[in-house]
Amino acid sequence: MINAVNIYKNFGKNEVIKGASLNIEKAERVVIIGPSGGGKSTLLRCLNLLEEVTSGEVILDGKLISPPDAYLHEDILRLSKTYKRLQKEGKSDEDIISEIRAKRLLKNGEGFAFKRALKETSAKYGQDINVARRKMGMVFQQFNLFNNMTVMQNLVYVPVKLKVLTKEEAKKKAENLLARINLSDKKDAYPSSLSGGQKQRVAIIRSLMMNPEVMLFDEPTSALDPEMVGEVLSLIKDLANEGMTMVIVTHEMGFAREVATRVLFIDGGKIAEDDVPEEIFSRPKNPRLKEFLSKVL
Amino acid sequence: MLFEDIWKILTNGELMGYYFQGFLHTIIVTFIAVGIGLILGFAVAIIKISAGNYKFMKIPAVICNLYTTVFRGTPVALQLFIMVFAVFAIPGFKPAAAIITFGINSGAYVSENIRAGITSVDNGQMEAGRAMGLNWLQTMIRIILPQAVKNIIPAIGNEMIALLKETSIISMVGSTVGTLTFDLNFASRTAYKTVTNYLATGIIAAVFYLAVVYFMVFIIKIIERKLGSNDKRGKHI
Ligand SMILES: Nc1ncnc2c1ncn2[C@@H]1O[C@H](COP(=O)(O)OP(=O)(O)OP(=O)(O)O)[C@@H](O)[C@H]1O
Ligand SMILES: [Mg+2]
């Protein structure tokens, strides 16, 4: 469903994600764990391009949603000035391509033909990011409910605006979802009057309003008071049981173990371990993962 | 002596006519300049902020930065002279040129107020809108701006009041009775020719200015109260 290929992400000179590849299949529940500052949020946000990737490609249902990455296309690399320069040195085609890739030699201004090839690729295989994002629900640590709208407006505004649902459908769906989380009486309240747990549950059903194929959670319970963590986790577990595809960044190890079909350990901008929860928690191999688990468990 | 002079002016139909004409012209000049300033300021703020999202807005944003730097960095009086006697040196165009200058000058300040108001809205609001599939402009218009308005209104109110007072230099480019350059300030100078008491002529002009400012503050307060009640509803139930 989501394919992330060789993702790099720099913030200025700071390399935060250094070549991460990740494949998420339908109905998988991938939990991302790792030390603070390791790049968990950044990687997650690269999946729906809230962070523009520096290089690498993100593919959703077979469609390219990031700009095409020249490093991944040999035919495009051959059109670059860098390739032509190295060719004059008499090296073999294979050597040149691998050298460009290994040393990430491309600069701005690789020529007109090169740029046109990138454009053509994106026209041929690409999908508009705004359309792609409708299929990917995102839940934030800070909830990010629209503060200028009531709970009901938060739920119906975007799906109606983007014509995912009609007004009537949206209203009905919103009422059902509110009933499900026992917040029907709050539909005309503004976010500022809700508790953290209530806000986060509304944020989750707001994502569900768009009928997403996959949900991305970035530490959904980290900003909550301890007594509210349970209600949010149990809603997420319910979605898991219904077969929703999910990617979850969390520090809740018990929850990770319970809900995950797969766990990624991210450290220093790389996926350092990728396995089923039993293996990760019972038989960790990576020394950094062992150290991390000994601290958090 | 002072009260006597004030009384002299108040009972002099011709002088009071000047004052009312000046009063009216000051309001008209301010009103139009505020309108120009708001439209220009809003456009400039949006251009500057959108440059963070749309690459093709980079060059317009540089031009806008130049504009705000120049117009906030030089005296209005200087701008007024350059615009009236050089840029728009068209016969009969003097009042319009002056109003445009005040508008453009105000736009530079307003744009910064609007920009500050927009950037003060939590970035998570934009992210949430974008993550659901709204584009930048849709999120800006429906999510960010409604929240920014509350932060912007007080600053714009202050800017309007400052502009009203700034228009008092309009007669520096020359003023004749019956044209828009004949403002409150110049009315009081005209009255001085008959009643040679600056304190008396000035006090009357001041009362007129104060009346306008008071009215503006009143309107701004009403708008603020209306907006304030919007998203806080439910908090005090
Ligand atoms: N917008 C940004 N601009 C600059 N640097 C950033 C930005 N976002 C993240 N970083 C840097 O990237 C690194 C990884 O951050 P990230 O938020 O992905 O870590 P994390 O694993 O999610 O940590 P945490 O568990 O604390 O949330 C950090 O060093 C952070 O300072
Ligand atoms: Mg994080």
Side-chain angles (χ1 to χ4, degrees):
Chain A
M1 178 172 283
I2 303 181
N3 242 312
V5 189
N6 209 21
I7 301 294
Y8 283 79
K9 175 64 190 177
N10 305 347
F11 288 109
K13 284 236 164 342
N14 182 15
E15 277 201 348
V16 174
I17 303 293
K18 304 167 191 165
S21 293
L22 166 67
N23 193 2
I24 293 154
E25 297 295 342
K26 198 168 162 50
E28 263 197 303
R29 296 185 292 276
V30 177
V31 170
I32 300 178
I33 60 170
S36 184
K40 304 183 295 296
S41 300
T42 306
L43 181 62
L44 188 78
R45 291 157 57 83
C46 282
L47 297 182
N48 67 353
L49 298 195
L50 275 190
E51 300 294 352
E52 231 173 274
V53 295
T54 307
S55 73
E57 287 181 351
V58 184
I59 296 155
L60 177 72
D61 296 329
K63 294 237 175 73
L64 193 57
I65 61 173
S66 62
D69 176 8
Y71 288 106
L72 297 174
H73 303 275
E74 287 183 18
D75 49 331
I76 296 179
L77 282 184
R78 279 194 198 89
L79 296 169
S80 67
K81 283 187 178 152
T82 304
Y83 177 90
K84 285 168 191 159
R85 178 169 56 79
L86 292 172
Q87 206 180 24
K88 279 190 194 132
E89 294 169 14
K91 290 181 193 160
S92 81
D93 190 77
E94 223 166 83
D95 286 348
I96 299 172
I97 300 281
S98 58
E99 187 178 338
I100 292 177
R101 279 180 176 159
K103 296 187 184 161
R104 293 160 48 80
L105 287 177
L106 296 181
K107 303 266 178 315
N108 279 334
E110 286 289 349
F112 182 66
F114 174 83
K115 285 211 177 99
R116 196 177 54 192
L118 281 177
K119 250 192 199 145
E120 279 168 5
T121 306
S122 111
K124 199 164 163 197
Y125 304 107
Q127 180 174 37
D128 178 34
I129 182 61
N130 292 322
V131 176
R133 280 183 183 141
R134 295 176 198 175
K135 301 187 218 162
M136 298 190 275
M138 175 107 183
V139 176
F140 300 87
Q141 186 174 345
Q142 298 298 339
F143 330 124
N144 296 347
L145 290 177
F146 303 135
N147 293 324
N148 57 323
M149 296 182 178
T150 63
V151 166
M152 189 47 115
Q153 289 167 334
N154 263 278
L155 296 174
V156 302
Y157 175 65
V158 181
V160 172
K161 171 92 188 169
L162 298 179
K163 302 201 166 64
V164 174
L165 301 173
T166 66
K167 238 182 209 163
E168 293 70 37
E169 285 169 348
K171 190 141 186 288
K172 192 139 175 267
K173 182 161 184 159
E175 270 160 6
N176 288 339
L177 286 168
L178 279 172
R180 171 178 177 166
I181 60 170
N182 287 323
L183 286 180
S184 298
D185 55 328
K186 295 285 186 190
K187 72 176 178 175
D188 295 321
Y190 279 82
S192 57
S193 69
L194 302 181
S195 74
Q198 291 172 334
K199 280 185 202 169
Q200 193 61 301
R201 286 183 292 140
V202 171
I204 291 171
I205 65 167
R206 180 177 67 174
S207 290
L208 293 177
M209 288 294 295
M210 302 289 290
N211 299 320
E213 292 173 16
V214 50
M215 299 265 289
L216 312 175
F217 294 86
D218 189 1
E219 301 199 27
T221 59
S222 294
L224 297 177
D225 292 338
E227 72 269 22
M228 294 173 182
V229 170
E231 63 191 58
V232 171
L233 291 185
S234 91
L235 176 58
I236 300 174
K237 280 182 215 162
D238 287 348
L239 297 179
N241 290 333
E242 288 160 24
M244 176 61 80
T245 313
M246 307 184 188
V247 186
I248 309 170
V249 174
T250 185
H251 288 292
E252 300 276 339
M253 291 304 143
F255 169 72
R257 197 167 189 157
E258 191 181 338
V259 82
T261 56
R262 208 169 120 204
V263 178
L264 304 182
F265 173 63
I266 306 243
D267 183 44
K270 291 193 168 142
I271 299 176
E273 199 152 332
D274 176 353
D275 216 328
V276 292
E278 297 87 78
E279 289 296 318
I280 293 271
F281 292 110
S282 310
R283 286 174 291 280
K285 293 171 201 76
N286 184 302
R288 296 273 299 165
L289 172 58
K290 283 181 195 163
E291 188 193 327
F292 173 73
L293 289 174
S294 73
K295 271 188 212 148
V296 297
L297 287 181
Chain B
M1 191 62 189
L2 173 63
F3 289 111
E4 215 173 283
D5 284 340
I6 290 176
W7 185 248
K8 238 190 251 167
I9 299 168
L10 288 177
T11 51
N12 183 324
E14 191 196 351
L15 295 189
M16 283 316 284
Y18 289 147
Y19 272 109
F20 279 109
Q21 186 185 126
F23 176 66
L24 185 67
H25 290 173
T26 290
I27 290 174
I28 292 172
V29 168
T30 306
F31 189 76
I32 300 175
V34 162
I36 296 173
L38 282 179
I39 293 167
L40 198 60
F42 184 72
V44 166
I46 290 290
I47 288 170
K48 280 188 184 178
I49 286 181
S50 67
N53 194 263
Y54 297 115
K55 287 206 178 80
F56 64 87
M57 282 302 204
K58 289 256 155 69
I59 291 168
V62 169
I63 296 169
C64 288
N65 273 326
L66 187 69
Y67 155 64
T68 46
T69 307
V70 169
F71 276 86
R72 297 198 311 158
T74 56
V76 200
L78 187 67
Q79 293 164 18
L80 193 63
F81 274 107
I82 292 176
M83 293 289 266
V84 170
F85 295 119
V87 181
F88 291 114
I90 306 162
F93 201 64
K94 197 190 276 176
I99 293 172
I100 290 170
T101 309
F102 288 125
I104 295 177
N105 178 273
S106 171
Y109 288 94
V110 169
S111 76
E112 285 305 298
N113 292 336
I114 293 180
R115 200 165 71 113
I118 290 173
T119 45
S120 72
V121 175
D122 177 22
N123 193 35
Q125 298 287 309
M126 176 57 84
E127 289 193 344
R130 297 306 309 276
M132 293 186 79
L134 294 179
N135 64 31
W136 185 88
L137 197 62
Q138 288 167 332
T139 317
M140 181 54 73
I141 290 171
R142 192 61 176 83
I143 314 289
I144 307 295
L145 286 178
Q147 297 183 51
V149 166
K150 262 203 314 287
N151 310 330
I152 294 170
I153 293 295
I156 294 213
N158 287 339
E159 168 54 28
M160 279 169 58
I161 291 167
L163 181 60
L164 170 79
K165 292 178 284 183
E166 241 160 44
T167 61
S168 65
I169 64 166
I170 195 169
S171 54
M172 281 176 71
V173 295
S175 179
T176 37
V177 179
T179 71
L180 282 176
T181 51
F182 189 92
D183 74 334
L184 254 180
N185 188 35
F186 201 75
S188 109
R189 281 167 59 190
T190 308
Y192 178 78
K193 285 177 193 150
T194 313
V195 182
T196 52
N197 183 340
Y198 273 128
L199 195 54
T201 58
I203 282 174
I204 291 174
V207 168
F208 277 108
Y209 275 113
L210 276 170
V212 186
V213 170
Y214 188 82
F215 180 71
M216 282 176 161
V217 170
F218 178 72
I219 297 289
I220 293 160
K221 281 263 160 64
I222 288 177
I223 295 174
E224 273 178 49
R225 206 170 310 141
K226 275 230 163 96
L227 292 169
S229 65
N230 184 9
D231 71 347
K232 295 279 173 342
R233 212 184 302 152
K235 200 170 190 176
H236 305 291
I237 294 176

